[in-house]
Amino acid sequence: MAKGVGSTWHLSGAPILVVSAVPQELSGAPRGGPGSRLRYLRAGMGPRAGEAVRRQLAREKFSLVVCTGFAGGTRPGFRVGDLVVATEVVE
């Protein structure tokens, strides 16, 4: 599990999962070579996306899960490539 300490993140050696809804959202993502810790999941949209992520999390342990591609729809003024970092999780 990733643990934030101030602005520094300490990650375990487990892979990092990058999740997107559609292929275009991953088109600019870095591709690692052999031994890369990055794993990519095109989960789709809606309830099926949540289920796809749950299945992936059940198969493999990750140090961090990064969701891509949805922030442009959350606030006017966001641009492609902007980074949005959550400060809290609301359930």
Side-chain angles (χ1 to χ4, degrees):
M1 172 73 76
K3 295 191 190 272
V5 179
S7 61
T8 303
W9 286 89
H10 303 279
L11 302 176
S12 71
I16 296 169
L17 179 63
V18 181
V19 180
S20 75
V22 297
Q24 295 86 343
E25 294 168 347
L26 291 176
S27 64
R31 299 293 176 198
S36 171
R37 291 177 54 205
L38 296 175
R39 306 286 188 275
Y40 297 96
L41 175 64
R42 191 175 65 223
M45 295 180 265
R48 289 185 341 205
E51 186 54 37
V53 173
R54 278 190 287 280
R55 283 192 307 270
Q56 188 67 30
L57 293 175
R59 281 193 288 267
E60 190 171 3
K61 182 177 180 174
F62 295 94
S63 60
L64 183 67
V65 177
V66 178
C67 299
T68 66
F70 64 87
T74 61
R75 174 181 252 168
F78 284 161
R79 299 174 315 226
V80 171
D82 284 353
L83 178 63
V84 178
V85 179
T87 57
E88 66 181 299
V89 176
V90 178
E91 293 188 43

